Amino acid sequence: MKLAAQPKLETIITKMSSGYDLIIIGGGPAGLTAAIYAGRFGLKTLLIEKAILGGLASTTFHIDNYPGFPEGISGMDLANKLEEQARKYHVEITYGPVTAIENDHKHKLVQVENKKFKSKAIILATGTEPKKLNIPGEAELRGRGVSYCATCDGPFYRDKDIVVAGGGNSAVEEAIFLTRYAKKISIVHRRDQLRADQVLAKQALEHPKIFILWNSMVEEVKGTNRVEEIVLKSTVTEKKSIVKANGLFIYVGSIPQTGFLKGVVSLDEHGFITTTGRLTTSVSGIFVAGDVRNKSLRQVVTATADGAIAADEARKYIEAN
């Protein structure tokens, strides 16, 4: 008896794929807001998130500058509310890493592991991830005293001494958050004044648990099984010093999650997606929203605004085509 030929993997993938009006890649505030608007527009929408809905915002303990919440709101609570609102408008949500995007002019194909999803338009809202210092000991001691998320790991440092690297909003916000656990927090900043907003900087400077190490940078992390010492270098004299610490929290910027987009859409020299004021990319039918695009202010409020605009532009594109 002759066996029937087995279909190729590509054929199987095609049969598994689903057709959508819009696919949103990324489930942070930008992606979730785009999903809410797309659902309200009546677009059949799929949102793909590789990890946790809410993105980096979900790891923020307290968001104090999002309109409508005068007492502030936790990042996770905000993410949960956005998800609930998106599901209210029948947005489908799936999880997994997007590895490739194909454009055959009439449709866009999005590869997620062994599946392909088809849509008329795409919104890229993949966000960013914390930038590493790339210093000796950082990789070896990650998870053993080196951290990039105070909300995640802060409770492990009750009555401990901590170093926070950075001087922007994220570094200062997280240093203030860590005061509820740690005995002492030393902010290491390479300049002679903080880059954080004045309100945050004032809180840090006046807090009895926070100390600022000006004109300094972290050069090495030392420890046998856990962080024990931080080697600092002066940005003025280049003299080195050692600070005893149980943990190092790093907040020195972010890098865009666009590795799978090289050769798909235009990126700037830092890897951020280049765009116009209408949030269009270099490819027709592919839009961008949130921190992954090249812009001057990366905040939750600007991400949600991007999401709304990108969804509206996607709607117009779909209707026109």
Side-chain angles (χ1 to χ4, degrees), residues 187-206:
I187 296 178
V188 177
H189 187 45
R190 59 189 307 132
R191 298 179 177 85
D192 59 1
Q193 59 181 3
L194 295 172
R195 291 185 294 107
D197 293 342
Q198 188 175 359
V199 173
L200 288 172
K202 186 173 185 292
Q203 289 180 44
L205 291 168
E206 294 178 352

Side-chain angles (χ1 to χ4, degrees), residues 23 25 29 41 43 47 50 64 69 77 102 133 140 149-150 157 164 171 185 187 199 208 211 214 236 267 279 291 321:
I23 291 178
I25 304 173
F41 292 148
L43 300 178
L47 185 148
K50 73 172 185 178
D64 194 44
F69 296 93
D77 283 346
E102 299 173 31
L133 289 174
E140 294 82 354
C149 177
Y157 294 89
V164 173
I185 299 99
I187 296 178
V199 173
F211 300 84
W214 304 109
V236 177
L267 308 176
L279 302 188
D291 289 359
N321 291 274

Side-chain angles (χ1 to χ4, degrees), residues 252-273:
V252 292
S254 56
I255 54 177
Q257 299 191 62
T258 53
F260 70 99
L261 292 171
K262 291 177 181 177
V264 179
V265 296
S266 293
L267 308 176
D268 68 12
E269 65 272 22
H270 302 294
F272 290 93
I273 300 171

